Amino acid sequence: RGPSAREISACRPWVQAELKILRPQLLICVGKTAAQSVVGRMINLAHERGQFFSTPSCDQTIIIGDPKSESFHAELGPI
């Protein structure tokens, strides 16, 4: 299961503090939940995966699929 809104809200201050200290040149959001938290809006992973965004945390933020999701593995095709 993905994290609840309450769990996301509880972790947000720590994540924002870490990003403020680290000031990354590239931020990679792995999965829809991470992307929505960082970008601050709903994400259509199928359409926005692989695109760069400028966010308050980092000018170069990219969204990738979560490797544990079935849809991620379906896109890779058979081994």
Side-chain angles (χ1 to χ4, degrees), residues 6-68:
R6 184 176 182 193
E7 291 167 330
I8 292 169
S9 293
C11 293
R12 183 170 284 123
W14 284 278
V15 172
Q16 288 175 340
E18 289 176 0
L19 291 171
K20 187 175 182 178
I21 292 167
L22 295 173
R23 296 187 345 239
Q25 293 179 357
L26 174 66
L27 181 60
I28 302 170
C29 298
V30 181
K32 187 175 182 176
T33 302
Q36 289 177 170
S37 265
V38 171
V39 176
R41 62 176 174 77
M42 296 298 291
I43 295 293
N44 182 328
L45 196 56
H47 293 112
E48 299 183 73
R49 173 185 71 238
Q51 295 181 29
F52 283 93
F53 297 88
S54 179
T55 65
S57 303
C58 183
D59 287 337
Q60 294 292 310
T61 302
I62 191 167
I63 301 168
I64 65 171
D66 187 339
K68 71 177 188 218

